[in-house]
Structure formats: structure tokens, C-alpha cells
Amino acid sequence: MAFVDYYKILGLEKNATEEDVKKAYRKLARKYHPDLNPHDKNANKTFQQINEANEVLSDPEKRKKYDQYGENWKHGDEYEKARQAQEQAYSGRHGGRTHTGEAFSEGDFSDFFQSMFGGAQGTGRGRTSAYRGEDYNAELHLNLTDAYTTHQQVITVNDKKIRITIAAGVEDGQTIRLKGHGGAGVNNGPNGDLYITFKINNNTSFNRVGNDLYATVPVDLYTAVLGGDITIDTLSGKIKLKVKHETQNGTKIRLKGKGFPVYKSEGHFGDLYITYNVKIPTNLTSRQKELFTELSKM
């Protein structure tokens, strides 16, 4: 797999702040969201890359590893531990010096580093090589209503059942890592990891863009003209709205905090944006037509 520059994907420099990352992600997520680009496969692919980049760069620990190890950041912990063990073993045999008298250098680990990411780990003459387990990739399909709440699911990977907790607010195309749940290591080598990519089906009438939700709500002509109350659905239940008199067709309102949960930020929600669709009455009686005619002449 080719190396993906997460900073480049979000249009950022390496010295970008957490706020810079957040702003860049929100801007690009809105632009390339699949619901807004239903027939653009490239936009969907870009959206997945944006989510992946945000998943790493918005997490201080993951970002630190990414900055240090680049494309191999996912294996940084394993490499560092193994590197230290290799260095101790080498120092024990050579007193911290190479046979030419030069100081022990990073270059002496090149073969070993390569082994940590798919090859064999030589542990000394007469010893058995150790291999890191294979990484697994899986897809998990959810409905949008499932992604609205934090919940647990049991998935089966290679006949092994794994219980995972899915945090509310997970996005379509987002990938998470379950460390050590990949293929088994060989000869005491570390297990691989399991990467789960979420595929979210929108089973609601709402359009989700990031943490915000959008919906169109019908309003009868009389309520639009005279004002009144209507009841609408949200993902957290029904609520009553007061419609102002003389409301025009296409009027938009914002319901703060009634959108989608913010991923791994308990108690924080996006907003719900409602667009009113004023319905013109049909099948009018003769008397109703007369009244409308009278109104038109006033």
C-alpha cells in the first residue's frame, strides 16, 4: 500500500494545531460527504481518506507515532521494544561497538526494522526466527440509528468472537484498530491487528453531514400563514416547534444540539437544520375556493 500523507490530505503543515486539524476536517468532510456527492466515487474515496487522516492527527498519541515512524506508525510500539531488545543483545556481544570500532548506529537495525513489518526477526545464531502476525481487515455495517448511541456488538473473525464497544458518532468509512486481534504471531512474535471499517446505512429521513443533521418538514398553508405549533421527529424523540406567522416556503431554522453525537465526546452534539416545505391545499370545496378568491381581491 502506498504511503498516504495525512497532513497533505487535510491541507495542513506538520506544525498545525489541534484546532487547525479540527477545522480542516470539518470543512473537507462537508465538501466530500457521500450524501452530498452520491454519484462521485472519487469524492467517496477522498471522504474515507479524510476520516482516516483525522482519526490519526486528532489523536495526540497516534499523531506522535505518525510523525516519528511515518507509514509504519501503527507498529511503532512493537518496533521500539524490539529495537531496544536487539540493541541490548548487540551490546552484550560487542560491548556497544561494532567489530570496526565504530559506535552502534541506527543503520545496524535496518534488516531488523524490515523484519518487524512482515519479515523474519533474526534473534541470534541457532535461534528460531519470529514473525509478526498478519493484520486483518473487516467491514462492519451499521444503520445510522445504531451509530447514534454507544453500544456493544459481537463480531466473528476467523471463528473467534470479539466483543467491541462502538462509540456514538462513528462515521461512514471510519476505521478503528483493535490491537492484537489480527493473525497470531509465530515463535513468540507479536499478533497482528484488526482494522474495522464502518459502513453506515442511512435508515432515516435525515441527511447527515459531519455531526449535523438536515431535514425537510412539511407545514400546511394555514399554519404557515397564521402561525402555530407542529410536532417533528428527531433521533432523540419527538419535539414541538412553534411556527411563526407568515412563514415562507423554504425557511430554515437551526435546533442547537439536536444533531448527531460528536465521536468520543460524551454530551456533545451537532445541530439539526430544518427546512420548511409549505404545502398548498388540494381538493378545495367551492366555499374554500370562494374564500381564496375573496382574499386575492383584497
Side-chain angles (χ1 to χ4, degrees):
M1 182 181 293
F3 173 60
V4 179
D5 188 334
Y6 293 146
Y7 289 102
K8 185 176 180 180
I9 287 176
L10 295 182
L12 299 171
E13 299 294 335
K14 279 195 172 184
N15 60 353
T17 64
E18 290 185 17
E19 187 63 26
D20 292 335
V21 173
K22 185 183 297 184
K23 288 181 179 179
Y25 168 70
R26 288 178 176 174
K27 179 180 179 181
L28 293 172
R30 285 187 174 90
K31 180 178 180 181
Y32 292 101
H33 197 283
D35 288 345
L36 300 181
N37 303 274
H39 305 298
D40 190 340
K41 293 183 178 180
N42 289 329
N44 186 49
K45 180 179 179 181
T46 300
F47 182 73
Q48 293 180 10
Q49 291 179 334
I50 291 168
N51 274 320
E52 183 179 336
N54 180 65
E55 176 76 13
V56 174
L57 299 186
S58 63
D59 185 314
E61 188 63 27
K62 291 180 181 178
R63 182 175 178 179
K64 180 181 178 181
K65 293 177 183 177
Y66 178 76
D67 289 342
Q68 185 173 0
Y69 297 107
E71 61 184 307
N72 295 311
W73 71 271
K74 294 177 182 177
H75 310 291
D77 289 341
E78 295 94 326
Y79 166 62
E80 192 58 36
K81 292 177 182 178
R83 180 186 184 282
Q84 292 173 3
Q86 184 78 350
E87 183 173 4
Q88 290 174 0
Y90 192 99
S91 297
R93 293 193 301 270
H94 300 284
R97 312 288 292 183
T98 67
H99 68 280
T100 59
E102 296 177 353
F104 194 86
S105 67
E106 186 73 20
D108 296 317
F109 290 108
S110 58
D111 292 337
F112 181 67
F113 185 91
Q114 184 178 9
S115 75
M116 284 299 297
F117 305 102
Q121 175 185 329
T123 58
R125 182 176 298 177
R127 297 185 183 180
T128 305
S129 295
Y131 294 83
R132 183 180 184 278
E134 179 185 2
D135 286 340
Y136 291 159
N137 292 280
E139 286 187 357
L140 183 56
H141 293 256
L142 301 174
N143 284 328
L144 189 65
T145 48
D146 296 327
Y148 185 78
T149 58
T150 296
H151 66 284
Q152 291 189 331
Q153 283 202 23
V154 176
I155 62 175
T156 303
V157 179
N158 281 8
D159 298 323
K160 180 181 178 182
K161 293 186 181 297
I162 303 172
R163 183 182 297 276
I164 64 173
T165 298
I166 303 172
V170 66
E171 295 227 26
D172 181 52
Q174 183 175 337
T175 300
I176 63 172
R177 179 184 71 148
L178 300 182
K179 186 177 181 181
H181 285 282
V186 178
N187 296 325
N188 294 321
N191 290 348
D193 299 328
L194 171 62
Y195 292 87
I196 299 177
T197 299
F198 293 97
K199 299 295 182 182
I200 299 179
N201 169 56
N202 189 351
N203 63 328
T204 74
S205 59
F206 300 100
N207 181 24
R208 179 188 180 187
V209 180
N211 299 316
D212 295 329
L213 295 175
Y214 294 80
T216 298
V217 173
V219 178
D220 66 77
L221 178 64
Y222 310 106
T223 302
V225 173
L226 303 175
D229 294 332
I230 62 172
T231 300
I232 68 167
D233 290 316
T234 72
L235 289 183
S236 60
K238 295 181 180 294
I239 63 172
K240 184 177 290 187
L241 291 182
K242 184 173 292 295
V243 180
K244 296 180 179 180
H245 66 279
E246 299 178 4
T247 291
Q248 301 297 305
N249 184 51
T251 295
K252 295 181 180 180
I253 63 170
R254 181 183 72 149
L255 302 180
K256 189 174 181 180
K258 291 297 181 180
F260 217 72
V262 179
Y263 183 66
K264 288 189 175 180
S265 184
E266 187 175 354
H268 292 82
F269 293 79
D271 300 329
L272 171 60
Y273 292 86
I274 297 294
T275 299
Y276 289 138
N277 180 24
V278 178
K279 307 296 291 184
I280 303 299
T282 58
N283 301 319
L284 297 177
T285 64
S286 298
R287 178 56 181 157
Q288 288 173 324
K289 290 180 181 179
E290 290 176 3
L291 291 173
F292 273 108
T293 300
E294 291 179 20
L295 284 173
S296 69
K297 294 179 179 180
M298 292 179 63

